[in-house]
Amino acid sequence: MPVIQITVVEGRDSERVEACIREVARVVSETLDAPLPSIRVMVHEVPANRFAVGTRLKSDPAPESAA
């Protein structure tokens, strides 16, 4: 039973997240030759102030680009 966990920053609309879940399940089923009912997909939505790349929080303002 494949179990897939996806972590994303909050803010996407429900329809897009649900479409992602369905597509991931379909692709995993096809590529691993696993029955679709055996696939588990979980999406964890994280607040932007709880997700960082290095020391930069996703909630931090975007840096100004150098001109």
Side-chain angles (χ1 to χ4, degrees), residues 1-2 5 8 10-11 13-15 18-19 28 30 33 36 38 41 47 49 54 56 60 67:
M1 162 180 39
Q5 296 184 37
V8 297
E10 289 178 333
D13 60 57
S14 291
E15 293 80 16
E18 291 166 10
V28 169
E30 289 175 6
D33 196 27
L36 197 52
S38 75
V41 180
N49 65 343
R56 183 167 191 75
D60 289 345

Side-chain angles (χ1 to χ4, degrees), residues 20 24 46 49 51 53 55:
C20 177
V24 166
V46 179
N49 65 343
F51 189 99
V53 176
T55 59

Side-chain angles (χ1 to χ4, degrees), residues 18-39:
E18 291 166 10
C20 177
I21 292 168
R22 289 186 179 95
E23 187 67 10
V24 166
R26 185 190 65 74
V27 169
V28 169
S29 175
E30 289 175 6
T31 57
L32 296 181
D33 196 27
L36 197 52
S38 75
I39 309 294

